[in-house]
Amino acid sequence: MSTPDPAGRRRGLIGVALAMLVACTVYLPRLGADGLVDSEGHRAVTGWELRDRVTAGDNDLLVTTLFETPYLRKPPGVPWLMALSAQAFGESAWSARFVSAMAMILAAGVAAIAAWAWFGSAAAIWAGCAQALMPLFWQSGRAAEIEAANNLATQVACFACVAAACARPRGIVFAIVPFAMLLAIAMVFLMKGPASATVLIAILLATRLLVQRSSREEARAWDREWGWIWGAIWGFAILGLVFIANRLMTVDQAVTQAPSAFLFEPGKIPQILAMPFVALASALPMALLMPAVPPSPEDRRDRIALSLVLGCLGGVVLLALVGVSNPRYAMPAFVLLPPLAGYAAVRYREFAAGRPLPPGEARRARIYGRVLVRQGVAWLIALMVGAQVYIWAIEPARDARSGERAGLALAEFVPEDAVVYAHELVEARPEVLHALRRAANCHVVWAYPFDGAPGLPEPGGYVAIRTDGAVGSREIDAFERAGLADRIEPIAGGAVHIFEFTLYRVRRMGPAVDQ
């Protein structure tokens, strides 16, 4: 039985608390100072509509909507969280972004706790701060997007897998880890579908490989204890996915997007080949920690560290093998890196204290000790200053890309309870139409052209049409081809970032749109 270490427990708890505090300084300041931009409106407005529907008595949580049209391009997990945040804090950019910010603050705590459990209490502060200050996560952790929540769920699932294979928990922890794994995998698929599947597969293969390398006897023991558990977990996860997929397939005229849209395309082979290298570069400076881990693990801590490295690299390589060209989709793999900061710091301190190490490992400990531990305060200050520069000097520029002010300007031209149809403007900047709907107390309908033809609301209704001439957005040409252009008259216009649009009023009846 191990002897309780009150001092170590205090160090670990202080490390976790300080790491989460550092994360708060990165992810909470001026969180709602700017309007929704880019695809934030698709996430936030979907969550707000879900909250309104539940309040009105509609408890179908699986089917999310965007301007009254079923919107199933993304799983419902993040809209659920944004609906809860809006219920607690009100409907605002701050409440929508708070979901991502809270996910990153919790991720810092998870990284600190994992490093504490695996490498000792002194590792907690290093790992937690590495997670909180990793530049790769700043933008997504401060946006109303799905990446941060998905990264947190992926992190918990992967760390549970590592704990089961390399840390070999016993007692109550043995019972908790499988449930944590099952819950985390379920959350991964609810947040971003199969986007993190490659990381989950890579970490499972890496940990099993390292157990096999350790000893055949230990591998057989792992198979007896955990093999059936992992099989049951993945079985439950797959059954849940099948159930959800069957339910969503019954939804008529839903806006969807197949995962194949992000996979292999012959014209993107150079980008696919370059993706792993670009992704690793985006993960700097934390990616520099990977060579600190010896390729031949000597003890349990080395096996844990190596499993994190192999899981990260394997997840990125598997993404490239399935044809993903966008390095942004490799982000979930890099949640495995922060505990390595704690590992490197602890190993150096042991080396500095006189513990004998093999020559190769001693060399690594010396290098990383000088770079990381001795300059630890400088690294901390540099990254904290960089985060504040991003928050206060770089990020405010995004407010110029928000369409909220343009939506408010349109509200003076639209009477209360009017009906406004739109399609391409919803695709480009949904926050314009949400601001219009909220300010004018009107109804906005996403008139998605399921049959390939545009339509019109009743006479007296309105149509918002993109007119910037971008490829695929010349909606007015489609109205002209359908013989509907003479039935609408322009009453107002506006521009958001690179997008231009015009609000038209319907003068007489047009063909009905089948919603």
Side-chain angles (χ1 to χ4, degrees), residues 393-486:
I394 298 175
E395 189 180 72
R398 69 179 176 180
D399 192 50
R401 306 196 311 272
S402 176
E404 293 186 3
R405 284 187 292 273
L408 295 176
L410 287 183
E412 62 181 274
F413 300 96
V414 178
E416 187 174 352
D417 291 328
V419 178
V420 181
Y421 277 20
H423 169 47
E424 286 289 348
L425 189 56
V426 177
E427 296 276 16
R429 282 294 188 267
E431 73 273 11
V432 175
L433 297 162
H434 178 70
L436 166 64
R437 177 172 62 180
R438 185 169 56 180
N441 194 24
C442 63
H443 303 282
V444 177
V445 178
W446 187 359
Y448 194 85
F450 298 102
D451 57 359
L456 296 175
E458 297 290 333
Y462 298 82
V463 182
I465 300 178
R466 273 186 61 181
T467 53
D468 50 71
V471 176
S473 66
R474 291 291 296 170
E475 291 182 286
I476 192 64
D477 292 344
F479 277 85
E480 291 175 354
R481 289 193 300 270
L484 302 175
D486 62 338

Side-chain angles (χ1 to χ4, degrees), residues 152-162 180-181 184-185 188 200 203 230:
L152 174 62
T154 304
Q155 184 183 56
V156 173
C158 290
F159 287 177
C161 186
V162 172
M181 180 76 167
I185 290 177
V188 165
L200 298 176
I203 197 68
W230 288 158

Side-chain angles (χ1 to χ4, degrees), residues 150-162 180-190 192-208 230 233-234 237 241 307 310-312 314-316 318-319 329 332-336:
N150 179 67
N151 290 343
L152 174 62
T154 304
Q155 184 183 56
V156 173
C158 290
F159 287 177
C161 186
V162 172
M181 180 76 167
L182 178 59
L183 179 61
I185 290 177
M187 293 304 294
V188 165
F189 287 110
L190 285 171
K192 206 176 179 182
S196 294
T198 58
V199 184
L200 298 176
I201 293 171
I203 197 68
L204 187 60
L205 294 176
T207 52
R208 183 61 182 80
W230 288 158
I233 287 173
W234 281 97
L241 283 176
S307 70
L310 293 178
C312 176
V316 175
L318 286 177
L319 274 178
Y329 292 105
F334 297 115
V335 298
L336 301 178

Side-chain angles (χ1 to χ4, degrees), residues 347-435:
R347 297 301 266 172
Y348 169 73
R349 288 184 176 179
E350 292 177 349
F351 171 75
R355 178 184 174 184
L357 297 174
E361 190 174 345
R363 191 178 305 111
R364 289 187 190 87
R366 187 180 300 110
I367 293 172
Y368 279 89
R370 290 173 179 172
V371 174
L372 177 66
V373 181
R374 291 185 180 179
Q375 305 299 325
V377 174
W379 275 107
L380 181 66
I381 293 175
L383 288 172
M384 291 186 70
V385 170
Q388 298 306 312
V389 170
Y390 173 79
I391 293 168
W392 298 97
I394 298 175
E395 189 180 72
R398 69 179 176 180
D399 192 50
R401 306 196 311 272
S402 176
E404 293 186 3
R405 284 187 292 273
L408 295 176
L410 287 183
E412 62 181 274
F413 300 96
V414 178
E416 187 174 352
D417 291 328
V419 178
V420 181
Y421 277 20
H423 169 47
E424 286 289 348
L425 189 56
V426 177
E427 296 276 16
R429 282 294 188 267
E431 73 273 11
V432 175
L433 297 162
H434 178 70

Side-chain angles (χ1 to χ4, degrees), residues 199-235:
V199 184
L200 298 176
I201 293 171
I203 197 68
L204 187 60
L205 294 176
T207 52
R208 183 61 182 80
L209 174 64
L210 291 176
V211 170
Q212 182 69 38
R213 286 182 57 184
S214 177
S215 71
R216 293 184 179 273
E217 181 179 349
E218 187 171 350
R220 286 194 292 269
W222 186 92
D223 289 338
R224 287 195 304 270
E225 294 178 0
W226 292 98
W228 68 271
I229 293 177
W230 288 158
I233 287 173
W234 281 97

Side-chain angles (χ1 to χ4, degrees), residues 82 91 149 176 178 187 216 299:
M82 290 190 177
E91 185 181 296
I176 291 175
M187 293 304 294
R216 293 184 179 273
D299 61 22

